[in-house]
Amino acid sequence: MKTAKYNQQVISLEQYNRSEFQKLYDDGKKGMLSCSVCGSPVRLYLGIQEKPHFYHHLSGKEDCQEKSLPMPSIQAPEKQEYIERNGFKIPKSRSITAEAEIEEKFIFPREIKVPSPFTPLPPAKPGIKLDYIKQLKQAGIHFDGNQEKAVTATDGPLLILAGAGSGKTRVLTARTAFMLEEKKINPGSVMLVTFTAKAAAEMKKRIAHYPAMSPAKVNQLVSGTFHSIFYRILCYHEREKWSSDKLMKKEWQREQILKEAGRKLQLDDKEFAYDLALQQIGLWKNTMIMPNEVRPESPWEEKVALLYKDYEAAKDKQNLFDFDDMLLGCYKLFKEQPSILENYQNRFHYFLIDEFQDINKVQYELVKMLSSKHGNVCAVGDDDQSIYSFRGSDPAYLLNFKSDFKNTEVIILNQNYRSPHEIVETANTLISANLMRQEKEMRAQYSGECPPVIFHPYDEEEEATMILTDIQERIEQGERPADFAILFRTNAASRAVFERLANSSLPFRLDQDIESFYERFMVKGMLSFLRLSLNPDNSEAIKNILPSLFLKQSIFRDLQANSILNDCSMLDALTYVKTGHSFQEQKLKRLIPIVSSLSSMSPVAAIDIVEKDLGYQDFIKKRGNEGNQLEKGSDDIRDLKVAARNFKTLAEFIDHADHMIAMNSEIKRSSKLMTDAITLSTIHRSKGLEYENVYIIGTVDGSIPHDYALEAYRNGDRQPLEEERRLLYVAVTRAEKKLFISVPQRRRGRKANPSRFLGRI
């Protein structure tokens, strides 16, 4: 049905503002919509499989036949052309060059047309007649021709380019078993390197189940992550120096040392982005740039470079080390004591390295050093899935492997056994635009029932609603929650989907490192102003606003004292703060009545006042210039405004934020126990995993590709943009059956442009 009764008037979806569909949906759930014919309660359908329409949700009866009634020209409420400020309505400013905004219409989801129809092309046939290969086949472990070559080519450098879904883990584990059983290679001379301890354990477990393998034999393999293997070497030779009690395992331990160094530079603990500084220091260390070799590219990097020097000096003084020191320490050990290096070169004859596209400089140098005597290095990876440049990874190491390791044999695993032809071809088309890559094209083994779908929600809120509706429909048709994954570029982008799922009865799981959107630094600071307007004695909120007022945390004790001495609230105590700068003191006095007035405003208006009248926008710019480009505070505040639009009063909005913070903690606690739940994950975290149904959200410029990559591209650096395309490729290739790509028409309150990566499809 296209019409319904709403607020005692008949409305038509064809005449109603597109921007108000989500509100209609929400009000329908509150019982505020009724059938224009029979008067029964109705709701608005917002999903992917059908166009928006009203339907009888209680009786389940067929839609009523709508009469051709003359429709009054009723529209949704006009958009505000003013803002509230200090109790007054002020017209919104508008550029004289601004074009009138065109109201978006509903765009029906469409299937992606693949460039070529599915034509079965069987993979290369295996033909190697070796005893152990026969045993593997008898055990039900089969290979195509290229996989079999990769399993049996054990001598000399070998580069296995394993595309998404190509059976990489099977090849790597079978190759290890083949070396031990068919070639009778000593397990103790084999080093198997993975990027996670979980992957290493799973590989050993799988190898142990292969024919003729035993736990005793498999346990002789030297396997693990780069860090675990080389840390064992360090402990063996310099036990006292590298004792585990000197390792800084926790993030707070590293931050503590960095903050002590920061105090010498008069950097505020709350204001300076120490977490991002640690990330930058880690990047320098992994690319083997020592403190005296740093060439800062911005004022922020200049500060971090000074912190880096003090951080390393403080660690040395206290005989402490961090995880990055393990690899650098082993490299230094081998350089300074060649006899030790030679000992390990003689011991290890074979190296198998998984996820080679994620290797960084220090890891690459260690592999070259250890393998230089025998040269039997098997590198397995896919340059199209290199997505960790922020920690020093570079696909160039994989692409340059042939020149660094002479007489390298290259085997390409180009059969995708995970996804249907339609998804594989979509992924091929996307990634083919990258220039820095090994030329290859994946082939699917079968055609699917459903081509990938692109859908166009109005904004983030409607995007979440459409996905939730679609998942609910599919679960009602017999699918399980564990069959679904919702993937996003950044943690902040998951806010609307998280809230929709948290208010549903569907089980879902969350990455442990995803903090609540409302706990993010910039959002927390903004909400603290709103909290103070409702409760001027909120001491935690006072602490959180100090950085944006450019006040040190030590001021908090003065505020507490002044609150008691002058019998006033913590907010009013700002009147008595003495900073030695009359301008700043006057600003604090003016701030108090403005903050007090926020409680009577709408949440969006209140945020706007804090942002502009109280200088929060200036604080965001300063913080943004000092921080990593991946963490732009101004984006968070725009996201907050989108969330705030759904609430009329400040109290309702703050209650909602508190509820979502609590839900985030609860979901993370219960995630470990859930076996049948929808997965919410960043694309980075999803790498290596697979799901029957995948939804990729926010596929617009500024999100995928991220703003920082677009900025780099405008400045002549193409690499970040290529990595963003690889990120989308990784997301697409997680799907086993169905793929849905969301392209919102608006993002963060502004018109959005579809991701430039989608142009080819």
Side-chain angles (χ1 to χ4, degrees):
M1 298 189 300
K2 293 292 183 187
T3 63
K5 199 168 185 181
Y6 180 50
N7 291 335
Q8 299 182 335
Q9 293 178 313
V10 175
I11 60 168
S12 167
L13 284 179
E14 292 174 353
Q15 295 181 348
Y16 213 72
N17 279 344
R18 178 77 179 87
S19 60
E20 297 294 322
F21 277 25
Q22 179 63 44
K23 189 174 188 309
L24 277 181
Y25 174 87
D26 292 334
D27 285 348
K29 292 182 75 175
K30 296 173 186 173
M32 295 171 64
L33 295 176
S34 58
C35 179
S36 58
V37 179
C38 70
S40 301
V42 294
R43 287 184 180 176
L44 177 64
Y45 173 90
L46 280 179
I48 298 175
Q49 298 186 41
E50 300 176 42
K51 288 184 178 180
H53 61 272
F54 298 109
Y55 67 99
H56 296 85
H57 69 286
L58 291 177
S59 60
K61 69 175 185 176
E62 295 293 322
D63 292 344
C64 293
Q65 293 297 314
E66 297 164 305
K67 299 174 183 176
S68 300
L69 299 172
M71 293 298 304
S73 56
I74 298 168
Q75 295 281 329
E78 290 184 13
K79 293 181 180 177
Q80 283 186 323
E81 292 301 325
Y82 60 85
I83 57 172
E84 294 178 34
R85 186 167 296 181
N86 298 335
F88 295 95
K89 292 182 178 181
I90 302 171
K92 282 185 180 178
S93 60
R94 190 174 64 184
S95 166
I96 58 172
T97 59
E99 296 180 13
E101 236 179 65
I102 300 171
E103 182 66 36
E104 289 88 350
K105 299 296 182 185
F106 179 81
I107 302 173
F108 195 70
R110 62 182 187 276
E111 295 179 346
I112 293 174
K113 291 182 180 178
V114 294
S116 55
F118 176 65
T119 50
L121 182 65
K125 289 184 179 180
I128 300 172
K129 303 188 183 302
L130 292 169
D131 290 341
Y132 195 67
I133 294 296
K134 292 176 184 175
Q135 288 182 54
L136 289 172
K137 289 177 181 176
Q138 287 167 3
I141 303 163
H142 298 278
F143 309 103
D144 63 37
N146 290 340
Q147 288 176 333
E148 193 175 79
K149 281 181 192 174
V151 168
T152 56
T154 57
D155 296 324
L158 174 66
L159 178 60
I160 302 174
L161 293 171
S166 62
K168 167 178 70 75
T169 304
R170 175 187 292 195
V171 167
L172 201 52
T173 52
R175 187 177 193 274
T176 308
F178 178 83
M179 289 166 65
L180 304 188
E181 181 59 23
E182 180 78 27
K183 295 287 187 176
K184 306 300 179 187
I185 291 169
N186 176 11
S189 69
V190 178
M191 183 184 287
L192 174 59
V193 187
T194 62
F195 268 78
T196 65
K198 183 181 177 184
E202 286 177 354
M203 281 197 186
K204 286 181 78 170
K205 185 178 178 182
R206 191 183 291 199
I207 294 167
H209 283 89
Y210 284 164
M213 291 294 106
S214 66
K217 186 185 287 187
V218 173
N219 286 334
Q220 290 179 58
L221 290 166
V222 177
S223 67
T225 63
F226 274 102
H227 286 85
S228 68
I229 291 172
F230 291 106
Y231 180 54
R232 277 179 267 168
I233 292 173
L234 285 172
C235 284
Y236 182 79
H237 294 282
E238 298 178 341
R239 181 172 296 278
E240 184 61 32
K241 183 179 178 181
W242 298 96
S243 171
S244 62
D245 61 324
K246 296 174 182 175
L247 170 63
M248 294 186 293
K249 298 177 183 177
K250 304 291 184 184
E251 191 81 359
W252 65 265
Q253 294 172 302
R254 300 169 65 212
E255 277 200 22
Q256 191 174 40
I257 289 184
L258 208 61
K259 284 178 180 177
E260 286 173 9
R263 289 184 193 112
K264 296 176 190 174
L265 300 174
Q266 297 186 321
L267 299 176
D268 188 271
D269 284 6
K270 286 275 186 179
E271 184 184 329
F272 191 75
Y274 282 101
D275 54 338
L276 303 177
L278 278 173
Q279 183 178 306
Q280 181 62 53
I281 289 170
L283 176 62
W284 283 330
K285 291 173 82 165
N286 284 322
T287 47
M288 301 179 75
I289 299 173
M290 297 299 101
N292 59 337
E293 298 170 340
V294 173
R295 299 289 177 266
E297 295 183 0
S298 68
W300 182 76
E301 282 195 8
E302 286 177 11
K303 291 177 186 174
V304 179
L306 292 172
L307 289 175
Y308 184 15
K309 287 180 182 177
D310 282 354
Y311 174 73
E312 293 300 311
K315 283 198 293 101
D316 290 344
K317 188 176 180 180
Q318 299 175 53
N319 294 318
L320 298 173
F321 64 94
D322 60 26
F323 284 101
D324 296 324
D325 292 323
M326 294 175 180
L327 301 183
L328 284 169
C330 208
Y331 178 82
K332 189 177 178 182
L333 177 71
F334 289 160
K335 278 287 188 183
E336 293 176 352
Q337 301 191 49
S339 60
I340 293 178
L341 173 61
E342 188 178 6
N343 179 40
Y344 285 102
Q345 287 173 335
N346 291 331
R347 177 181 172 181
F348 293 112
H349 295 198
Y350 296 89
F351 299 86
L352 292 90
I353 303 163
D354 192 19
E355 304 289 3
F356 201 80
Q357 76 279 349
D358 295 331
I359 207 166
N360 60 39
K361 184 173 176 61
V362 65
Q363 292 165 343
Y364 192 61
E365 292 300 324
L366 284 167
V367 170
K368 286 203 296 183
M369 291 169 86
L370 283 175
S371 64
S372 61
K373 187 164 188 177
H374 296 285
N376 299 317
V377 180
C378 173
V380 185
D382 180 10
D383 52 306
D384 290 334
Q385 296 185 67
S386 178
I387 57 173
Y388 293 112
S389 64
F390 61 87
R391 64 187 189 199
S393 301
D394 190 337
Y397 296 122
L398 184 147
L399 295 171
N400 295 335
F401 186 87
K402 288 184 289 185
S403 57
D404 287 339
F405 293 85
K406 301 302 178 187
N407 302 315
T408 294
E409 182 179 0
V410 179
I411 297 174
I412 299 177
L413 306 183
N414 64 346
Q415 300 296 316
N416 184 308
Y417 295 96
R418 175 191 298 155
S419 310
H421 168 73
E422 293 76 11
I423 291 175
V424 172
E425 281 300 303
T426 298
N428 284 337
T429 306
L430 280 171
I431 201 63
S432 64
N434 270 7
L435 301 179
M436 187 180 172
R437 68 184 291 262
Q438 172 78 36
E439 192 66 36
K440 58 185 173 298
E441 187 168 295
M442 299 301 293
R443 300 282 306 188
Q445 296 301 300
Y446 65 99
S447 180
E449 341 169 322
C450 177
V453 170
I454 291 180
F455 65 104
H456 299 266
Y458 178 76
D459 61 6
E460 302 94 326
E461 300 295 333
E462 192 176 286
E463 177 179 63
T465 296
M466 292 175 76
I467 290 172
L468 187 71
T469 299
D470 198 64
I471 291 175
Q472 286 173 325
E473 289 172 348
R474 294 179 187 281
I475 288 175
E476 285 169 8
Q477 293 163 10
E479 298 195 55
R480 297 165 54 245
D483 295 337
F484 300 89
I486 303 169
L487 306 182
F488 35 87
R489 172 64 181 83
T490 61
N491 288 334
S494 65
R495 194 262 320 156
V497 165
F498 174 85
E499 292 181 3
R500 205 69 80 250
L501 282 168
N503 290 322
S504 77
S505 58
L506 294 174
F508 67 102
R509 64 161 60 95
L510 203 60
D511 283 342
Q512 293 301 306
D513 63 343
I514 296 183
E515 64 182 340
S516 169
F517 170 75
Y518 300 100
E519 287 280 272
R520 290 173 68 81
F521 182 81
M522 285 297 174
V523 174
K524 195 181 210 176
M526 173 63 77
L527 290 178
S528 293
F529 281 100
L530 310 189
R531 292 180 193 279
L532 280 171
S533 73
L534 298 172
N535 176 11
D537 271 319
N538 189 323
S539 58
E540 191 61 31
I542 281 283
K543 282 183 185 177
N544 291 331
I545 71 167
L546 293 179
S548 64
L549 301 176
F550 303 102
L551 297 173
K552 295 190 178 298
Q553 287 297 310
S554 56
I555 292 287
F556 179 71
R557 288 191 294 273
D558 297 336
L559 290 172
Q560 286 178 311
N562 283 320
S563 175
I564 295 167
L565 289 171
N566 297 287
D567 192 23
C568 65
S569 68
M570 291 287 283
L571 177 63
D572 288 329
L574 286 169
T575 304
Y576 304 100
V577 169
K578 300 299 178 188
T579 64
H581 303 285
S582 59
F583 170 78
Q584 193 175 27
E585 290 170 8
Q586 288 299 316
K587 183 181 176 183
L588 291 175
K589 288 175 183 175
R590 289 197 304 271
L591 170 144
I592 296 165
I594 297 176
V595 171
S596 299
S597 71
L598 299 178
S599 60
S600 60
M601 300 181 190
S602 70
V604 173
I607 291 169
D608 200 60
I609 293 291
V610 175
E611 197 176 15
K612 293 172 183 171
D613 290 12
L614 299 186
Y616 206 74
Q617 206 168 51
D618 297 331
F619 173 61
I620 287 170
K621 286 176 183 174
K622 184 176 186 296
R623 168 86 178 194
N625 288 336
E626 291 185 350
N628 187 303
Q629 288 177 308
L630 292 173
E631 293 287 336
K632 294 188 176 181
S634 56
D635 292 349
D636 283 352
I637 299 306
R638 293 217 303 270
D639 283 333
L640 188 66
K641 285 181 181 178
V642 173
R645 281 204 320 249
N646 300 317
F647 300 89
K648 292 180 180 177
T649 70
L650 224 53
E652 287 177 341
F653 184 44
I654 293 297
D655 283 346
H656 170 76
D658 289 339
H659 179 56
M660 288 301 118
I661 290 169
M663 284 296 293
N664 183 275
S665 299
E666 179 58 33
I667 294 296
K668 283 202 283 194
R669 272 196 300 272
S670 59
S671 284
K672 295 176 182 178
L673 305 174
M674 288 186 182
T675 54
D676 188 14
I678 299 162
T679 296
L680 256 65
S681 174
T682 61
I683 300 172
H684 283 97
R685 282 280 189 174
S686 73
K687 186 169 168 288
L689 303 175
E690 52 194 45
Y691 307 91
E692 288 199 6
N693 306 285
V694 168
Y695 301 85
I696 306 172
I697 66 176
T699 318
V700 295
D701 275 356
S703 176
I704 312 176
H706 195 283
D707 282 321
Y708 91 95
L710 294 173
E711 183 65 29
Y713 185 60
R714 285 190 285 269
N715 292 328
D717 184 2
R718 185 186 176 89
Q719 288 189 34
L721 196 67
E722 294 219 341
E723 177 158 323
E724 291 290 301
R725 189 181 279 108
R726 292 195 292 267
L727 200 59
L728 184 56
Y729 175 81
V730 166
V732 166
T733 53
R734 297 312 93 201
E736 294 179 293
K737 287 186 179 178
K738 298 184 178 72
L739 172 67
F740 302 91
I741 299 175
S742 171
V743 184
Q745 297 176 56
R746 298 182 73 82
R747 176 174 175 262
R748 293 180 171 141
R750 299 179 183 178
K751 182 173 174 56
N753 294 314
S755 169
R756 61 193 61 205
F757 299 153
L758 300 178
R760 290 182 165 227
I761 60 172

